[in-house]
Amino acid sequence: KNVGADDNFFDLGGNSLHGSQLAARIREHLRVELDLRHLFTNPVLADLATRLDESEVAPAQKPIVPVARGGALPCTPQQEGLWLLQSMDPSSSTYHIAFALALRGPLDVPALERALLALIVRHEALRTRFVEDDGLPRQVIDPPPPAVSLPVESVKAEEAASWVTGWTTRPFDLAAGSLFRAALGELGPQEYALVLAVHHIVADGWSAKILAEELGALYATERGVRGMDLPAMYLQPVDHAVWQRGWLDGAEMDRQMGYWREALADLPALDFPADRPRPADPTGAGAAADRQVPAGTAAAARGYARTHQVSFLAVLQAALLTVLHRYTGQEDLVVGSIFSGRTRPEIEPLVGFFANTVVLRTDLGGEPTFAEVVGRCHETVLNATAAQDVPFGVIVDALQPERVTGRNPLFQISLTLQPADNQADLTLGDVSAEPLDTANRSARFDLAIDVIDRKGDGLDLVVEYSTELFDADRVERLLDHYVAALANGLADPGAVAEDVDIMSSSERHQVLHAWNPADAAVLGPEGGV
């Protein structure tokens, strides 16, 4: 589509993530600071251009530049935190990023091996390991291997699931490397299971999309097929790590940290009901549940965000807070959210760990309507986005909250929006590929809710939860309540949020009739009828 001055940014498919990317490019090319509030209030591009003409000149930013390789190099605070968590439980697969595919067709295994090698050559993260130096991790970037020999194992169809689980959960040795692995199970003639796994310390969800797209492109190239041209790699994650160290000592860091100190002062703990007490020695055991949001509700959520010029994440968060308020009775509600962390255009094409956790704190005091809750969440999202560059671990170290074993500091429940254009999609020529379940069995938070914005306007919910705290039926009810709160809140946004119905019709029938039949005897004070 040709984009014109009269087009609306959000009607073109833009969201708050795209807004952050747009702001970064405007800052880089025009030296103008774009407040995301101005994008939401001026979504028509001509109006936005007028607003930019009136904006202040952005201060020059120190560029990210290549640093000398060789020896041990610094890590980011995010990597340091993850290294510490992994070192406490080296056998844990909690921080593995993996996807598996069922492949059918004439797979060219040697071409796939060469494509994997080219991928490892391109991305230093895939040949980076972490050694300890005076109690802290340091990055060591190894040279590319001369070749990649893809393990190909004969696997019975009925054993494919356990085979996939074995490869995705096998521990990584952070000091020895490699932190990226691939394996191929041969299920039958032209039938395979392909597993790709990487440790989170060198990759994130955005990276998975890059890996899938580039592996497909490199496979096509190795087979002599013209594919997409991949950009040259001028920078790598370690260059950003060195740059970030300087940024952490700068004025912009101080400004953003000032916001977090004020926003998170006297932070309450969420009293969410659990089925069991928190264990003294948690293992991180978890499971996952999923739900598809009805098409009408998904369309209503997108339409509300666009019409009322608010963040889509804010609409989704408002429904969650409506449920959490009903569960807990609390008005000061705190959830976490995973942001991409790619606020600089230079790092968008890199495989690396840039994702950052932000804390979203919203007050539901004063009996607000659902529309007002959305508005408050929108303000929270905008403020957090403007201060998202401070690593979560740095905030925790600065605020020093009370630590409870097995409980994430600052928040226990997260809500993350996964945009449609950030989904990993691997194409291997004329070989069909269907996703396989990687059987997640761990939980990073008490409850982590991912809202996946599917291509074609679908909206899916995936909840990763601690099985040490919650039974599956409680999580299923939570999903029911969330979908109902989203649908009913949008159907009547002027209603007080506390009155928004969160029960499904089947649950209401169960409570009112199955558990309370009309002919049930009523006991008197002495036990009589």
Side-chain angles (χ1 to χ4, degrees), residues 11 67 318 342 390 518:
D11 289 344
V67 299
R342 309 225 177 193
V390 184

Side-chain angles (χ1 to χ4, degrees), residues 307-324:
T307 303
H308 293 80
Q309 299 177 340
V310 294
S311 163
F312 188 32
L313 176 59
V315 177
L316 301 171
Q317 184 194 356
L320 177 60
L321 297 191
T322 297
V323 174
L324 295 182

